[in-house]
Amino acid sequence: MDLAGVKIGFALTGSFCTFGRVFPQIERLLELDAEIIPIVSKVVRETDTRFGPASCWLDRLQSLTGRAVLSEITEVEPFGPQKQLDVLVVAPCTGNTLAKLANGIVDETVPFAVKAHLRNERPVVLAVSTNDGLAGNAKNIGSLLNIKNVYMVPFGQDAPESKHNSLVAKMELIPETVAEALDGRQIQPVIIAY
């Protein structure tokens, strides 16, 4: 897998419980010599949780990538006209973000970054992490699967016995999904067993 020199926007949204599985994938992409432009939602920028303070995640992102973390709409708007990215990854991609993307709502940094990037007909990779993937967000996932240049990291039910509607992407497949998306292909299978 050759990702040397590929400019990847990497956006985190507020599924804090999956950050421990997402950050190693950022490290893998950097080891593959990709260039990472870090982006976070307002929730990630401002919310301290049981998984750690917001400042810890922001500092870690900046330390890993060597870049300032983008968290304002005005900072990601140039992605469109300036064609700054080869691919944009949203991982984790919460149900809230899925709903906004599926319905064209761009009132926040991450959806705006996606809109700006898709304008250039370049790939967007979504790594789902939502407790309502088989409920309220099922229709949004279905819609996004049918949008040109949107690719999904393979996902499945992470805890079917206790969280019947929960879907989470296999974060370990982010680099492979990115490589396939850059070639215009959806990695298969999309729906996996956990």
Side-chain angles (χ1 to χ4, degrees):
M1 173 173 26
D2 183 16
L3 296 177
V6 173
K7 291 185 179 178
I8 302 173
F10 203 106
L12 284 87
T13 65
S15 179
F16 297 95
C17 61
T18 57
F19 281 16
R21 292 179 33 226
V22 169
F23 272 82
Q25 304 321 307
I26 296 171
E27 293 170 351
R28 277 186 64 206
L29 291 167
L30 290 166
E31 289 167 5
L32 293 166
D33 293 323
E35 184 179 338
I36 304 288
I37 294 86
I39 306 157
V40 296
S41 67
K42 180 180 179 182
V43 168
V44 173
R45 180 185 72 215
E46 297 178 355
T47 308
D48 297 334
T49 71
R50 64 187 169 105
F51 300 101
S55 61
C56 172
W57 299 115
L58 299 177
D59 291 346
R60 187 170 173 196
L61 264 177
Q62 185 164 333
S63 176
L64 279 173
T65 64
R67 293 177 165 271
V69 177
L70 308 179
S71 62
E72 298 288 344
I73 286 176
T74 54
E75 296 170 324
V76 299
E77 186 276 334
F79 290 171
Q82 296 177 13
K83 300 182 180 180
Q84 294 180 358
L85 306 174
D86 297 310
V87 60
L88 175 60
V89 176
V90 183
C93 185
T94 62
N96 185 52
T97 303
L98 288 167
K100 288 181 178 190
L101 295 175
N103 292 287
I105 300 169
V106 291
D107 62 346
E108 220 264 64
T109 306
V110 174
F112 198 98
V114 171
K115 174 192 169 199
H117 182 68
L118 281 174
R119 156 186 166 166
N120 299 316
E121 298 184 9
R122 293 183 178 176
V124 170
V125 171
L126 305 178
V128 172
S129 181
T130 179
N131 286 328
D132 71 342
L134 292 177
N137 259 303
K139 64 184 175 191
N140 295 323
I141 292 170
S143 293
L144 290 164
L145 283 166
N146 285 297
I147 293 178
K148 184 179 178 185
N149 297 314
V150 172
Y151 302 89
M152 295 281 189
V153 176
F155 58 86
Q157 289 181 271
D158 56 310
E161 302 82 20
S162 59
K163 299 189 299 181
H164 307 289
N165 297 318
S166 182
L167 294 175
V168 176
K170 186 165 184 161
M171 301 303 175
E172 298 79 4
L173 292 175
I174 289 172
E176 290 78 6
T177 307
V178 166
E180 290 293 309
L182 285 166
D183 286 334
R185 293 186 302 267
Q186 170 63 57
I187 192 171
Q188 295 294 335
V190 177
I191 300 173
I192 58 169
Y194 249 85

